[in-house]
Amino acid sequence: MPIVKLPGSGRDGLVGPSVAQEPFTWTKTADEILKSLADYLTKVTPPAIKNQQET
């Protein structure tokens, strides 16, 4: 099966038009982002399993 390059694929599609674009503006503080990440990781991380027996 031959490989076909689709129109507009590749780097041309990623770069876009060469017009001045506005810089990205953060909407949250670093503390808010880190708290959100910590909350998410708490939800998706399974609880630790004890590998040692209690004595």
Side-chain angles (χ1 to χ4, degrees):
M1 177 186 285
I3 297 174
V4 178
K5 183 177 179 184
L6 299 173
S9 65
R11 291 214 171 266
D12 298 336
L14 296 176
V15 175
S18 59
V19 294
Q21 295 188 8
E22 304 221 3
F24 182 80
T25 302
W26 292 96
T27 58
K28 292 185 177 184
T29 66
D31 288 337
E32 290 172 322
I33 293 169
L34 292 174
K35 180 172 179 347
S36 175
L37 177 61
D39 292 343
Y40 171 75
L41 291 175
T42 300
K43 292 177 187 175
V44 299
T45 305
I49 300 172
K50 291 185 179 182
N51 290 330
Q52 299 177 352
Q53 293 180 350
E54 293 181 21
T55 56

